[in-house]
């Protein structure tokens, strides 16, 4: 999560909401890819940290299936990112701060673990939640 927090801090430099993500290999020790929000920096509405990290991890592996991989992200994924997580076959999602307004991993919706879908990753929430939430709170207070 500390690596994801480092990524989140990079987002602020581009004027983006500080969310960072890291994809770990199936062994859990190798970082396959990382990303941070780049919507403002690129003008791409899909440039969320999770989407960018998933794209980069797939490129690093040379395939779209991220079976066995873990996505670590500072903020609970939204519905778009939750859909990408399910579609990419990530096995585990670890996130820091809950997103009561747009979260899709248990707070507002639970897309990731919806029993109607063909793939349901494990979800671990609240890892370094205070630090993750503080970064977001500080960003929005400064606006």
């Amino acid at each position: 999560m500390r690596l994801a927090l480092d990524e989140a801090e990079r987002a602020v430099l581009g004027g983006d909401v500080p969310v960072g993500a890291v994809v770990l290999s199936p062994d859990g020790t190798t970082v396959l890819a990382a990303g941070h929000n780049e919507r403002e920096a690129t003008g791409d509405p899909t440039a969320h940290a999770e989407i960018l990290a998933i794209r980069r991890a797939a490129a690093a592996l040379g395939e779209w299936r991220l079976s066995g991989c873990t996505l670590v992200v500072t903020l609970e994924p939204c519905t778009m990112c939750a859909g990408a997580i399910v579609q990419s076959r990530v096995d585990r999602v670890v996130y820091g701060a809950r997103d009561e307004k747009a979260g899709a991993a248990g707070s507002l919706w639970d897309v990731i673990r919806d029993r109607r879908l063909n793939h349901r990753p494990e979800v671990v929430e609240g890892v370094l939640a205070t630090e993750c939430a503080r970064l977001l709170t500080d960003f929005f207070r400064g606006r």
Side-chain angles (χ1 to χ4, degrees), residues 8-19 36-44 47-48 135-136 139-140 143:
E9 290 176 3
R10 288 183 184 97
V12 176
L13 300 175
D16 279 283
V17 175
V19 177
H36 55 270
N37 278 0
E38 294 182 22
R39 291 187 310 168
E40 297 297 331
T42 63
D44 179 355
H48 287 204
L135 193 58
L136 290 158
F139 175 80
F140 286 111
R143 294 191 113 196

Side-chain angles (χ1 to χ4, degrees), residues 54 64-66 71 79-91 93 104 110-114 116-121:
I54 287 169
W64 64 268
R65 288 178 191 88
L66 300 181
L71 174 71
T79 54
M80 175 182 68
C81 294
I85 289 163
V86 170
Q87 292 299 316
S88 66
R89 308 300 194 265
V90 166
D91 276 8
V93 177
D110 200 352
V111 172
I112 292 178
R113 294 176 290 198
D114 190 313
R116 295 168 291 182
L117 299 175
N118 65 331
H119 181 72
R120 290 176 297 282

Side-chain angles (χ1 to χ4, degrees), residues 21-85:
V22 175
V23 177
L24 302 174
S25 65
D27 68 12
T29 61
T30 304
V31 175
L32 293 175
H36 55 270
N37 278 0
E38 294 182 22
R39 291 187 310 168
E40 297 297 331
T42 63
D44 179 355
T46 68
H48 287 204
E50 301 95 309
I51 299 292
L52 297 174
I54 287 169
R55 286 178 185 161
R56 292 169 184 158
L61 288 176
E63 73 167 293
W64 64 268
R65 288 178 191 88
L66 300 181
S67 301
C69 293
T70 299
L71 174 71
V72 180
V73 60
T74 57
L75 180 64
E76 179 181 359
C78 69
T79 54
M80 175 182 68
C81 294
I85 289 163

